[in-house]
């Protein structure tokens, strides 16, 4: 088996997993125009980039068997989390450089509170989305079963 190593920059939706890979994630996230772009999908984790428009949000969601680590690369947001969809009692404002850790089985939402796009990087363990996922908009993402 040939191992392909790559040092990356944003390439518009190329998923480099499961090969060894290195990239400047903050720069890639800032360049990403898509709601969600999977940049690396392995057997046990996945990294995606997200772009949430002003006044937009990820939307209330839960990943029953997946932990999620989200880093704010640009912008400011409010995150809410909780054990129940209608009782998200954890709330925090986050800015560039802050992280959000979402345990499996927790409802959560991230809302853009700024006037410019919110740029995020996100790690799922295990992977949540199909390898190579590129959702140009939230509506496109919602049409997929794994959203």
């Amino acid at each position: 088996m040939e191992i392909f190593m790559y040092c990356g920059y944003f390439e518009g939706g190329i998923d480099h997993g499961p090969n060894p890979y290195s990239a400047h994630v903050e720069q890639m996230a800032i360049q990403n125009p898509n709601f969600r772009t999977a940049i690396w999908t392995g057997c046990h984790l996945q990294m995606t980039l997200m772009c949430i428009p002003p006044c937009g949000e990820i939307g209330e969601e839960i990943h029953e068997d997946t932990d999620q680590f989200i880093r704010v690369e640009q912008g400011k947001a409010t995150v809410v989390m909780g054990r129940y969809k209608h009782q998200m009692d954890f709330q925090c404002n986050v800015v560039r450089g802050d992280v959000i850790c979402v345990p499996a089985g927790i409802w959560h939402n991230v809302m853009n509170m700024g006037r410019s796009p919110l740029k995020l990087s996100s790690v799922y363990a295990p992977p949540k989305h199909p390898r190579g996922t590129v959702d140009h908009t939230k509506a496109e993402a919602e049409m997929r079963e794994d959203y």
Side-chain angles (χ1 to χ4, degrees):
M1 176 171 117
E2 182 179 336
I3 296 179
F4 174 69
M5 293 189 187
Y6 182 80
C7 291
Y9 56 93
F10 185 73
E11 295 181 275
I14 296 175
D15 190 326
H16 296 279
N19 297 307
Y21 180 68
S22 176
H24 192 291
V25 174
E26 179 182 14
Q27 182 180 19
M28 289 178 67
I30 290 169
Q31 294 173 355
N32 173 46
N34 302 312
F35 178 75
R36 179 181 296 108
T37 302
I39 62 168
W40 195 91
T41 303
C43 296
H44 304 286
L45 67 85
Q46 177 178 58
M47 175 163 254
T48 66
L49 307 175
M50 297 190 78
C51 177
I52 312 301
C55 300
E57 62 184 7
I58 290 174
E60 296 171 340
E61 62 181 6
I62 187 171
H63 311 304
E64 292 293 346
D65 300 316
T66 302
D67 291 326
Q68 186 176 10
F69 175 93
I70 303 168
R71 184 175 190 272
V72 179
E73 305 295 355
Q74 179 179 286
K76 59 183 177 178
T78 297
V79 59
V80 293
M81 289 188 266
R83 294 205 178 277
Y84 306 100
K85 184 175 184 176
H86 301 292
Q87 189 179 351
M88 291 196 243
D89 48 9
F90 174 92
Q91 180 173 327
C92 188
N93 294 323
V94 292
V95 295
R96 180 178 174 251
D98 288 343
V99 299
I100 304 160
C101 297
V102 184
I106 295 294
W107 283 94
H108 58 283
N109 192 4
V110 179
M111 299 156 286
N112 185 348
M113 303 307 284
R115 295 181 184 191
S116 60
L118 175 66
K119 304 291 186 143
L120 306 172
S121 59
S122 180
V123 175
Y124 300 89
K128 172 70 178 145
H129 306 285
R131 184 179 189 283
T133 293
V134 177
D135 295 317
H136 300 287
T137 64
K138 181 179 176 190
E140 188 176 309
E142 289 172 335
M143 289 174 37
R144 280 189 304 101
E145 204 173 290
D146 67 309
Y147 176 73

